[in-house]
Amino acid sequence: MLKGKKIILGVTGSIAAYKAALLVRLLKKSGAEVRVIMTPGARDFITPLTLATLSGNPVLSEFTEGNEGVWNNHVDLGLWADLLVIAPASANELAKMANGLCDNLLMATYLSARCKVLFAPAMDLDMYKHPATQTNIKRLQSFGNIMVEPAVGELASGLVGQGRMAEPEELVAAIAELLSVAQPKKKSNKRILITAGPTVEAIDPVRFISNHSSGKMGFAIAEEFANQGYAVDLVTGPVHISTVNPGINRIDVVSAAEMFAATTKLAAKADIIVMAAAVADYKPANPSDKKIKKKSTEMVIELAKTNDILATVGKGKKKGQFLAGFALETDNELANAQKKLKEKNLDLIVLNSLQDKGAGFGHDTNKIKIITANNKTFNFELKTKREAAADIVAHILTLAVK
Ligand code: CTP
């Protein structure tokens, strides 16, 4: 996945520095060459020996080594790397990056680097929320640096909130995505709209109805279009995937109603629409704004139908617009998919069957069939979702762009 890629991992002083060990291991396993720079503060949290052993390279911290006049050239380091990853990025080092302060080797490398920079903040929730930190983050993003947002969860302080560094697996996926962003061959004036991920329907403030969709398929399709030079709007339910492609405008929603509102608004200006989201068909009819207390008897939740977004967009489809949907079936697959294609006024439907091993929710692979409006079926082998996305996009483009 990252074969031959040169990555500098900058580790700063945060309790999340322990996750750097796993991150180095995963990067190495993916084929990357990794060099680690630690800030002096980071050495209080994890030993250089651990990261040197895992990366197979000495860890750098200081501008000079020993008394022999050996200089660690930050300019060379910055030029060597394909990507500089700063994880964990503490509030202090983020502030220095945003303001061009340069009091350690990592900051000097940051300022010299010509490659892309990805940073993963880790700090307590109040530090993260503080306007000073938020302003620094916005500033870094305005430089083109890419953030992988911290997660919500229990923090080292015992408080619960947003501030936990993203897990190493999520970081590796974001790194792979960032390094695979191709220079678009041509800029197209066609706009693409994609829906992805699950929707989450509240029962009360703590419980919800949802499904197992990971969003991977929809995100892979969005990336494929963006890599081909198309401007993409991606409306997504809650997922654990970061979007790093500058060609993708991501709109995060939670419920089917929010997805309906965002999608129908954007559909008007879209040329190609692909709906890969697993939208809840039903939502609690009367969600409670207070936590529902346990009763001694059984309880029944009344469900109301949600709007079918795809069918609504299909009904209002304009001349020249191309509309594709997905069908996830467990039985009578082909007949059910053909029915959806017709009833929702689609130009193409992608069928995945839950009966196929390795296909569907959560997997990195998928086995698809493409059915077109003139009732032709195309069968594909089990492939990675990235490869399946390339097949889907190629198929759509041959039909939609004549
Ligand atoms: N879809 C949608 N809005 C909904 C339900 C589904 O836009 N409220 C879209 C999905 O994004 C997908 C297609 O419709 O592209 C088919 O979704 P699927 O769940 O397979 O089918 P349903 O129409 O919901 O029918 P059923 O659940 O009975 O199979």
Side-chain angles (χ1 to χ4, degrees):
M1 196 163 63
L2 294 171
K3 204 162 184 304
K5 297 292 179 194
K6 300 188 187 88
I7 295 174
I8 296 179
L9 174 64
V11 182
T12 76
S14 152
I15 183 67
Y18 77 91
K19 291 187 184 172
L22 183 55
L23 181 55
V24 172
R25 200 159 167 265
L26 293 176
L27 289 172
K28 290 285 290 180
K29 255 174 89 177
S30 304
E33 204 179 320
V34 183
R35 304 187 71 172
V36 178
I37 304 178
M38 295 175 84
T39 62
R43 300 166 78 105
D44 293 333
F45 293 94
I46 183 166
T47 70
L49 183 61
T50 306
L51 298 179
T53 311
L54 290 170
S55 67
N57 280 314
V59 166
L60 306 172
S61 260
E62 307 290 342
F63 287 101
T64 54
E65 304 276 326
N67 297 322
E68 285 84 46
V70 177
W71 181 50
N72 289 321
N73 187 337
H74 55 271
V75 178
D76 282 354
L77 278 167
L79 294 179
W80 170 82
D82 295 313
L83 179 69
L84 170 59
V85 178
I86 303 189
S90 66
N92 184 35
E93 300 300 324
L94 280 185
K96 290 191 216 163
M97 288 158 68
N99 292 286
L101 270 75
C102 183
D103 66 349
N104 62 44
L105 182 67
L106 179 59
M107 289 303 107
T109 308
Y110 169 72
L111 289 174
S112 319
R114 291 191 192 158
C115 60
K116 292 175 185 168
V117 177
L118 182 140
F119 64 99
M123 63 197 74
D124 218 40
L125 76 163
D126 293 307
M127 292 170 81
Y128 183 68
K129 271 199 299 211
H130 196 283
T133 306
Q134 288 303 315
T135 307
N136 288 335
I137 288 174
K138 286 205 185 77
R139 191 127 199 255
L140 291 174
Q141 288 172 323
S142 77
F143 301 159
N145 297 173
I146 290 164
M147 173 167 76
V148 178
E149 264 198 58
V152 175
E154 198 174 321
L155 302 164
S157 60
L159 297 172
V160 176
Q162 190 173 20
R164 277 171 74 98
M165 187 177 93
E167 291 306 318
E169 291 80 1
E170 191 189 331
L171 286 174
V172 173
I175 290 166
E177 190 195 327
L178 187 59
L179 289 174
S180 73
V181 174
Q183 231 18 310
K185 291 171 210 88
K186 53 175 170 52
K187 275 256 174 269
S188 167
N189 53 5
K190 288 208 183 296
R191 263 206 104 77
I192 315 292
L193 171 62
I194 316 274
T195 68
T199 66
V200 173
E201 313 300 328
I203 298 171
D204 68 14
V206 287
R207 297 146 177 138
F208 57 82
I209 297 175
S210 190
N211 58 63
H212 292 300
S213 169
S214 63
K216 285 177 185 168
M217 196 63 239
F219 274 65
I221 294 171
E223 268 164 48
E224 182 63 31
F225 273 116
N227 281 343
Q228 296 204 26
Y230 292 88
V232 179
D233 291 315
L234 171 64
V235 180
T236 177
V239 293
H240 299 283
I241 315 180
S242 343
T243 326
V244 295
N245 196 315
I248 300 176
N249 167 39
R250 170 172 172 165
I251 301 105
D252 285 284
V253 296
V254 176
S255 64
E258 286 173 15
M259 188 172 276
F260 181 86
T263 308
T264 47
K265 196 168 152 210
L266 289 164
K269 56 174 182 169
D271 300 290
I272 297 173
I273 304 169
V274 184
M275 297 216 183
V279 187
D281 290 329
Y282 294 92
K283 63 178 180 184
N286 303 300
S288 168
D289 52 7
K290 294 201 179 67
K291 187 181 168 205
I292 301 170
K293 298 303 285 179
K294 183 164 57 195
K295 298 189 187 98
S296 54
T297 54
E298 281 176 2
M299 82 169 281
V300 174
I301 301 172
E302 196 187 323
L303 299 178
K305 272 200 90 168
T306 60
N307 282 320
D308 191 313
I309 309 169
L310 185 57
T312 307
V313 172
K315 222 179 255 164
K317 189 167 73 175
K318 288 188 291 200
K319 203 169 173 282
Q321 256 185 343
F322 190 94
L323 183 59
F326 270 73
L328 179 70
E329 307 292 343
T330 54
D331 51 271
N332 269 337
E333 292 110 337
L334 210 54
N336 280 332
Q338 281 161 336
K339 194 163 164 255
K340 282 178 193 169
L341 176 86
K342 231 174 150 210
E343 285 178 357
K344 301 195 191 193
N345 193 23
L346 310 183
D347 298 291
L348 175 156
I349 195 157
V350 181
L351 165 65
N352 26 146
S353 161
L354 273 188
Q355 286 174 356
D356 287 321
K357 231 176 146 215
F361 285 158
H363 292 287
D364 286 322
T365 47
N366 208 0
K367 191 167 176 209
I368 56 160
K369 283 187 172 62
I370 290 179
I371 306 152
T372 55
N374 57 6
N375 232 343
K376 284 206 177 105
T377 303
F378 302 84
N379 295 301
F380 295 84
E381 295 301 308
L382 185 73
K383 294 184 176 186
T384 65
K385 285 192 172 166
R386 206 175 268 272
E387 289 164 342
D391 290 337
I392 293 166
V393 170
H395 217 99
I396 290 175
L397 289 176
T398 53
L399 295 173
V401 184
K402 291 182 185 118

